[in-house]
Amino acid sequence: MAKDLTTRNENYSQWYNDLVVKAELADNSAVRGCMVIKPYGYAIWEKMQAQLDKMFKETGHQNAYFPLFIPKSFFSREASHVEGFAKECAVVTHYRLKNDPDGGGVVVDPEAKLEEELIVRPTSETIIWDTYRSWIQSYRDLPILVNQWANVVRWEMRTRMFLRTTEFLWQEGHTAHATSEEAMEETVKMIGVYADFAEKHMAIPVLKGVKSPNERFAGAVETFCIEALMQDGKALQAGTSHFLGQNFAKAFEVQFLTKENKLEYVWATSWGVSTRLMGALIMSHSDDNGLVLPPKLAPIQVVIVPIFKKEEQLEEIRKTVLPIIDALKQKGISVKFDDRDNLTPGWKFNEYELKGVPVRLAIGQRDIENGTIEVARRDTLEKTSYQLVDIETKIEHLLENIQDNLYQKALSFRESSTHTADTWEEFLDILDNKAGFVEAHWDGTAETEQRIKEESKATIRCIPLDSKEEEGKCIFSGKPSKQRVVFARAY
RNA sequence: CGGGGUGUAGCGCAGUCCGGUUAGCGCACCUGGUUUGGGACCAGGGGGUCGAAGGUUCGAAUCCUUUCACCCCGACCA
């Protein structure tokens, strides 16, 4: 864990930004609130995509693609949906530019005004449900299990790299079902897929739960989420899965004939994760030396740094190392041999630590003579000398060990950062002095939730799926409550 | 939209208060040499409409006016 992360909250944004830039994950761009994802950052995203895509296929889903532009009128079909998104939409009003008659530049051609404005999608429920109407006639057309990889635009007032950008990359699953039960089952299944991905691949423990009505997706009947805890003690919503009921089917008139020849509205779900997961990854594991990547998502899992004085020595190292590289690649491990001669080993060590490469091998004259290689692990920064015999298996196990260790570390951090509060004073004290998750009783009303948010800046992150029934009193109103919910200050 | 800050070489910055040689430093880059087990060193070199526009002045990175962009804090955030 990065030292003093909780005490440097004020500078945490700066620290986070610097890391994103220095590790060459992304840069701010010329466009307000947008960012450039650099090749190294994108390579991590691609690994996430590949794994998620595999998991979607394994659960029976197919990919498809829908338009970027959505006619404005589509948004007004579902009342709470438009209310949720109207404030942050980019709107296309014209389709042409022309030379500025008063100067050298170009201006929007007033002649080219669109009759109906187009909205750059902030999410695709509307355009997809408008399309599904033509795909669905009978129960035999169901279920539809479709996922889209796309970019979306939300004109947020304040942005942060990866966590909240004006344009972001994501996937959005949109499914259509014949029954409520089946749709709910899908919703729960997909939040499970996300939780598995977060824990097994990103090495980030997450709480699975449902959102309070206030925090629900605009247009959803129920929103399931996974919530992760960052090292500064703030929560991050890492993924959501929504049970949409028949809201969108009714809004877009999507009906089907049942076996019994009865006309019924279709049941829907939608679920998504975004490049925000990159932010979660960075903030969960990084330390003062830079990024720490879990082996399963690291574009480079092993880097080999040769230590040499003369070209002949490099040649000798290369001869020793080539079979090792082959053997590692045979095991599906990605290896980089950094034989650049214009940088010193020390420089390279720092560079790869900054970029979070899980395992670093260093080999020089001394090692060649002894038949050894120096192995450094990024998570603990430990250095050990290994015999070259069967090195690929040892590295393979080491990578597994690092993956596991990162998860355990993050888990014990979360556990030690999860507190219970039974009074309002206790609640505020924990938020101000300890941060993290706070388990507390809530009377279940939106009014109380709102007041708590206003007075403490903390929101209900979720009502955990596994939370036990427990009699208690709401920390704010004192009214009776049947279970604890999880509060935190959040991104 | 409020409060604060920053724009000077690819990156990071000094210089601005108090106007005055040819606008400087570190990193990076190029050439040569020595180096290389935790961000090497020496020598030489290239790179700038000082965010933009207007004004004051003999003279503006520096003063005045206007404007743009970005960052941080807040409001906002399925």
Side-chain angles (χ1 to χ4, degrees):
Chain A
M1 303 279 156
K3 279 175 267 164
D4 305 325
L5 268 191
T6 50
T7 58
R8 70 164 105 148
N9 266 354
E10 286 155 27
N11 300 322
Y12 191 73
S13 290
Q14 200 61 58
W15 175 84
Y16 169 82
N17 266 337
D18 283 353
L19 179 54
V20 167
V21 172
K22 281 188 194 148
E24 295 191 59
L25 301 174
D27 266 331
N28 279 313
S29 77
V31 185
R32 191 215 86 112
C34 295
M35 66 175 185
V36 175
I37 304 178
K38 298 179 85 173
Y40 188 64
Y42 201 81
I44 299 170
W45 175 240
E46 280 178 321
K47 294 206 92 171
M48 291 188 185
Q49 275 188 304
Q51 180 57 35
L52 284 164
D53 205 63
K54 190 173 157 225
M55 293 168 97
F56 299 156
K57 301 275 165 63
E58 282 166 1
T59 43
H61 301 86
Q62 292 177 299
N63 286 327
Y65 190 81
F66 298 86
L68 168 67
F69 299 123
I70 301 175
K72 191 181 72 180
S73 58
F74 283 21
F75 272 84
S76 42
R77 300 268 192 100
E78 215 289 332
S80 59
H81 193 67
V82 67
E83 200 182 315
F85 284 103
K87 288 171 289 181
E88 51 187 41
C89 286
V91 184
V92 179
T93 55
H94 294 75
Y95 59 85
R96 195 163 62 209
L97 299 173
K98 65 172 188 180
N99 289 327
D100 186 353
D102 303 324
V106 285
V107 291
V108 173
D109 185 348
E111 306 279 299
K113 193 164 159 42
L114 290 171
E115 226 159 87
E116 180 177 0
E117 293 90 343
L118 297 171
I119 312 301
V120 181
R121 63 182 167 217
T123 179
S124 303
E125 275 77 7
T126 55
I127 188 96
I128 287 178
W129 279 89
D130 184 69
T131 308
Y132 280 179
R133 185 174 53 245
S134 68
W135 290 10
I136 298 167
Q137 272 85 44
S138 120
Y139 72 94
R140 294 182 200 278
D141 297 323
L142 297 171
I144 293 176
L145 304 173
V146 161
N147 175 62
Q148 163 170 258
W149 287 99
N151 56 342
V152 288
V153 167
R154 294 179 190 180
W155 216 267
E156 303 283 0
M157 286 175 175
R158 199 148 120 59
T159 60
R160 287 166 187 274
M161 285 203 277
F162 288 118
L163 299 178
R164 184 174 292 108
T165 44
T166 300
E167 178 189 7
F168 57 96
L169 306 181
W170 76 346
Q171 60 68 217
E172 44 181 328
H174 295 274
T175 68
H177 305 266
T179 65
S180 170
E181 294 71 28
E182 192 186 300
M184 184 53 94
E185 196 183 306
E186 165 81 3
T187 312
V188 173
K189 182 197 286 176
M190 295 321 287
I191 202 67
V193 166
Y194 289 154
D196 271 2
F197 175 74
E199 299 190 336
K200 300 206 172 97
H201 294 266
M202 301 179 70
I204 300 175
V206 291
L207 292 180
K208 267 191 285 186
V210 295
K211 285 292 185 192
S212 63
N214 270 359
E215 300 275 327
R216 220 174 255 159
F217 175 72
V221 175
E222 188 86 274
T223 289
F224 291 76
C225 63
I226 51 171
E227 291 286 325
L229 190 66
M230 303 297 102
Q231 290 185 79
D232 63 343
K234 281 170 110 174
L236 183 75
Q237 176 176 300
T240 47
S241 182
H242 315 291
F243 173 68
L244 302 174
Q246 294 173 309
N247 291 349
F248 284 89
K250 284 178 179 163
F252 288 88
E253 304 198 45
V254 187
Q255 289 176 300
F256 71 104
L257 278 172
T258 64
K259 259 183 210 173
E260 294 77 29
N261 203 33
K262 274 169 61 189
L263 206 51
E264 284 182 12
Y265 285 108
V266 175
W267 297 84
T269 84
S270 70
W271 28 273
V273 294
S274 69
T275 35
R276 172 179 257 208
L277 289 180
M278 293 284 294
L281 193 67
I282 297 161
M283 292 198 295
S284 292
H285 305 304
S286 298
D287 64 19
D288 287 343
N289 293 327
L291 199 59
V292 178
L293 293 174
K296 285 185 182 176
L297 295 177
I300 303 167
Q301 291 169 306
V302 176
V303 65
I304 304 178
V305 178
I307 295 154
F308 60 99
K309 291 191 169 66
K310 297 186 181 112
E311 189 63 25
E312 305 89 78
Q313 290 172 325
L314 176 59
E315 268 320 302
E316 201 178 344
I317 291 167
R318 189 175 277 133
K319 269 185 212 136
T320 311
V321 143
L322 280 178
I324 298 173
I325 295 174
D326 279 343
L328 288 169
K329 283 186 178 164
Q330 284 287 316
K331 288 189 175 288
I333 296 167
S334 60
V335 196
K336 178 172 176 177
F337 179 49
D338 187 349
D339 58 358
R340 286 176 294 177
D341 61 2
N342 59 334
L343 299 169
T344 62
W347 195 93
K348 292 175 188 173
F349 292 171
N350 283 289
E351 166 85 356
Y352 292 110
E353 265 162 29
L354 181 58
K355 289 192 160 188
V357 175
V359 172
R360 183 188 72 231
L361 306 179
I363 181 162
Q365 201 64 31
R366 198 197 297 160
D367 296 289
I368 301 254
E369 280 157 22
N370 299 334
T372 58
I373 195 161
E374 185 189 82
V375 179
R377 52 188 289 178
R378 179 65 184 86
D379 59 338
T380 60
L381 298 168
E382 286 166 346
K383 291 195 283 193
T384 333
S385 204
Y386 280 35
Q387 292 294 320
L388 282 177
V389 184
D390 209 16
I391 186 74
E392 65 277 12
T393 309
K394 294 174 194 163
I395 299 297
E396 188 181 32
H397 291 151
L398 180 60
L399 287 169
E400 285 162 13
N401 189 283
I402 292 172
Q403 179 81 31
D404 192 50
N405 179 48
L406 285 177
Y407 178 76
Q408 289 305 330
K409 240 162 122 175
L411 182 61
S412 59
F413 172 77
R414 187 189 75 186
E415 280 168 354
S416 64
S417 307
T418 301
H419 308 93
T420 58
D422 292 313
T423 65
W424 181 241
E425 292 69 33
E426 220 181 322
F427 184 75
L428 289 178
D429 178 61
I430 292 167
L431 288 172
D432 288 337
N433 302 315
K434 296 179 184 162
F437 285 133
V438 189
E439 298 170 336
H441 281 283
W442 163 57
D443 64 20
T445 66
E447 297 72 40
T448 301
E449 185 181 3
Q450 190 59 33
R451 292 288 306 280
I452 292 176
K453 185 178 174 180
E454 281 161 14
E455 300 200 12
S456 72
K457 300 258 167 84
T459 49
I460 297 175
R461 300 320 301 161
C462 70
I463 303 156
L465 295 185
D466 59 6
S467 79
K468 294 177 291 261
E469 291 224 344
E470 178 191 301
E471 294 295 327
K473 279 190 207 158
C474 174
I475 43 156
F476 192 81
S477 67
K479 290 179 192 160
S481 149
K482 282 209 163 55
Q483 63 176 351
R484 287 178 187 271
V485 299
V486 176
F487 287 89
R489 289 181 181 148
Y491 279 103

